[in-house]
Amino acid sequence: MTRTRLLLLLALVIPVTLGSSVPGPPPSGVSLVVVLTVDQLRADYLSRWHGQWQGGFRGLLTGGAVFPNGLQDHAVTETAPGHSTILSGRDPAHTGIPANAVGVADSAFPVLGDSAAPGASPNRFVGTTLLDWMRRSDSTTRFLSLSVKDRSAILTIGKSRGPVFWHAGPGFTTSRYYADSLPDWLTAWNARSTVERLAGGQWSLLLADSAYPELDAEPFEDRGEATTFPHWLPRNPSEAARLLPSYPWMDSLTLDLALEGTRALGLGRRPGPDLLAIGLSTTDYIGHLWGPDSREIHDHLLRLDRWLGWFLDSLATMVPRERILLVLTADHGVVSFPEFEKERGRPGGRIRLGALVAEVNQAIARRSGDPAILQQTSGLIYGDTARLRAIGVSPESLATTLAPRVWKLPGVVNAWTPGTLGGASPRDVHAVRWWRTLPRKFAWLVCAVAKPGYIWSDGSGSTDHGTTNPDDVDVPIIFMGPAVPPGLYPDTVRTTDIAPTLARLLRVRPEAKLDGRPIKAIFK
């Protein structure tokens, strides 16, 4: 969908003149800042089903400052780097989080109550976030950050220790970076919100079948297994707990826990503002399995819309609505199933970068005995370059050899090495996005650009994100609250602009140079 088309569709539900503004100073009465990040919420979703919103999405679209031309403006459009930009105001190259695989995994900090879950901490994160700026201004600032995913809950708020929780096993927990035990309120919530109540549950369509223009059965969805409604959560509680993030109910539980935590921690009840960060992950799980063109993603977002409305209404009973400053955005988008694109005569395919890297690793292993020195994700080949040198392999020579092989893969537009990326044109948006992704000291060999409609994938049965193309980088950004002028704004803004905008609204000062800047339309 073109951005012009997107603006026209959104205009149908936002009866406010473009660029309208409310004069006056920034708000001094904000009690709670709420940051909602919907994992894999493509920018076009809010307009695609605009006539069916009845809850939170409709309230945000009609009452907020809506920027449909938002960007996660970097190359590796994954969860960890995306979340690292939102409240830091900095690109992944400066947060130190270029990819999920080098995000929050940390065996030094085990997860409480789940020995099978990997340990996690923000130790790779570099710099500060809005939370640090708020706490420097007011040391009594309270906060809560939670999500289904550890990297979502952790990287949104940076290195601050405190109430940071994510889903592992049958309930929500944390790691020993943050605490040695769970608070009583969370233990009690876990006990009464047990997944056993949901085991065996049926996910059927929320609305009549005629409300969904999408086909209900595509053979490439969900590995060819659960391609049609209804979908059933397994009756076995442990299996149900494992699969629950792929069912809409997970987001409702996350929002319910956010309300419980807000109540227990007394967020928004002080003279100064507190921070509540919520990562809603289910859209991502469903999007991977069934894709952005499925009834499943459509139905899930209809449900999320209603749950967000319920959440905001419930939150307003604890913190007056006029004292809440809210932001909604996403960490990345998603590409349609390549098989879906081909069925409709459009370009699309899977770029099997993993197979190439596996082949090279096998050759290196004959010399080193290590079959996994190189790794790959989202068009990026990286690895232990010091280990390569130790076994007599020049990383620079290997990169020079690899780049043309990557470039020749079907669906690849361009490929660079550390020696050539710096010479790319600053007008090449894809090169710029790679500049914004790769930290200066990060050891990598090749980065590449996929054609539109293609994904980095060696398998089948799911779709993915991670390219530099619009389907992945385009995300919605919406502000709503005191002194925020509602309206539809065509400005191109970035997720790195969210933190400096909130900082100016809250009258707190960032602690370092930022890549983002305050969004001018908010302050007209």
Side-chain angles (χ1 to χ4, degrees), residues 426-456:
R427 292 186 295 274
D428 186 333
V429 67
H430 304 287
V432 171
R433 284 174 179 155
W434 276 114
W435 294 343
R436 291 177 175 147
T437 298
L438 298 165
R440 185 170 58 86
K441 295 183 179 180
F442 183 68
W444 63 281
L445 284 83
V446 179
C447 65
V449 177
K451 292 180 181 178
Y454 284 75
I455 60 175
W456 305 103

Side-chain angles (χ1 to χ4, degrees), residues 462-512:
S462 65
T463 190
D464 213 341
H465 46 82
T467 75
T468 56
N469 295 316
D471 284 347
D472 285 337
V473 302
D474 290 2
V475 296
I477 297 176
I478 302 175
F479 290 79
M480 187 169 71
V484 174
L488 179 65
Y489 298 89
D491 315 50
T492 296
V493 297
R494 297 168 173 81
T495 54
T496 52
D497 298 331
I498 292 172
T501 301
L502 290 174
R504 179 172 290 186
L505 285 169
L506 297 172
R507 299 176 181 174
V508 298
R509 185 183 299 275
E511 295 183 1

Side-chain angles (χ1 to χ4, degrees), residues 131 143-147 149-150 152-155 157-166 173-175 177-179 182 185-186 265:
L131 176 61
F143 78 97
L144 170 64
S145 183
L146 55 91
S147 177
K149 298 181 180 180
D150 52 3
S152 306
I154 292 170
L155 294 172
I157 56 98
K159 289 193 169 182
S160 290
R161 284 180 161 89
V164 177
F165 306 108
W166 56 91
T173 186
T174 191
S175 79
Y177 177 90
Y178 298 101
L182 296 180
W185 64 266
L186 180 54
L265 298 171

Side-chain angles (χ1 to χ4, degrees), residues 153-467:
I154 292 170
L155 294 172
T156 307
I157 56 98
K159 289 193 169 182
S160 290
R161 284 180 161 89
V164 177
F165 306 108
W166 56 91
H167 191 260
F172 282 78
T173 186
T174 191
S175 79
R176 293 193 180 277
Y177 177 90
Y178 298 101
D180 293 324
S181 62
L182 296 180
D184 291 343
W185 64 266
L186 180 54
T187 300
W189 186 91
N190 279 334
R192 69 174 178 268
S193 301
T194 174
V195 71
E196 293 176 358
R197 293 189 295 107
L198 294 171
Q202 175 182 292
W203 172 19
S204 55
L205 292 174
L206 180 66
L207 304 181
D209 185 82
S210 59
Y212 302 86
E214 304 84 8
L215 291 176
D216 191 24
E218 294 280 13
F220 44 78
E221 295 176 346
D222 191 23
R223 304 172 296 276
E225 296 176 4
T227 62
T228 61
F229 277 97
H231 300 292
W232 296 87
L233 196 61
R235 292 186 179 279
N236 180 280
S238 60
E239 187 68 4
R242 184 179 69 83
L243 295 177
L244 183 58
S246 298
Y247 287 74
W249 307 307
M250 189 74 250
D251 276 351
S252 68
L253 292 175
T254 305
L255 291 168
D256 185 68
L257 178 59
L259 290 173
E260 184 66 17
T262 298
R263 185 181 298 108
L265 298 171
L267 299 186
R269 300 178 189 174
R270 306 178 311 107
D274 295 324
L275 175 66
L276 173 61
I278 306 170
L280 297 167
S281 304
T282 304
T283 306
D284 182 73
Y285 288 97
I286 291 174
H288 278 295
L289 290 176
W290 287 285
D293 309 287
S294 65
R295 283 194 178 188
E296 284 78 5
I297 200 69
H298 183 174
D299 189 74
H300 166 64
L301 289 171
L302 291 176
R303 294 171 181 275
L304 180 56
D305 167 61
R306 274 65 166 177
W307 286 328
L308 280 173
W310 159 79
F311 167 76
L312 294 174
D313 288 343
S314 300
L315 185 64
T317 66
M318 292 184 275
V319 182
R321 198 180 298 269
E322 65 273 12
R323 299 179 68 86
I324 297 173
L325 176 59
L326 185 144
V327 176
L328 180 136
T329 191
D331 54 351
H332 54 73
V334 68
V335 181
S336 294
F337 268 90
E339 296 81 2
F340 179 90
E341 296 290 70
K342 289 180 178 178
E343 279 185 358
R344 285 146 184 82
R346 298 191 291 259
R350 297 176 183 270
I351 306 171
R352 303 185 184 280
L353 185 62
L356 172 60
V357 171
E359 176 191 329
V360 176
N361 270 331
Q362 288 176 1
I364 295 172
R366 289 193 284 271
R367 180 182 300 193
S368 67
D370 185 345
I373 288 182
L374 297 184
Q375 300 176 59
Q376 62 84 26
T377 185
S378 297
L380 176 67
I381 300 176
Y382 64 100
D384 190 342
T385 53
R387 174 72 173 139
L388 287 174
R389 294 185 196 280
I391 62 173
V393 176
S394 164
E396 292 79 13
S397 297
L398 180 57
T400 300
T401 301
L402 271 175
R405 297 188 65 186
V406 173
W407 204 332
K408 290 179 182 178
L409 292 173
V412 174
V413 177
N414 207 343
W416 295 283
T417 70
T420 61
L421 181 60
S425 168
R427 292 186 295 274
D428 186 333
V429 67
H430 304 287
V432 171
R433 284 174 179 155
W434 276 114
W435 294 343
R436 291 177 175 147
T437 298
L438 298 165
R440 185 170 58 86
K441 295 183 179 180
F442 183 68
W444 63 281
L445 284 83
V446 179
C447 65
V449 177
K451 292 180 181 178
Y454 284 75
I455 60 175
W456 305 103
S457 168
D458 284 78
S460 61
S462 65
T463 190
D464 213 341
H465 46 82
T467 75

Side-chain angles (χ1 to χ4, degrees), residues 106-115 117-120 166 173-177 179:
D106 191 342
S107 59
F109 295 97
V111 169
L112 304 185
D114 188 348
S115 58
W166 56 91
T173 186
T174 191
S175 79
R176 293 193 180 277
Y177 177 90

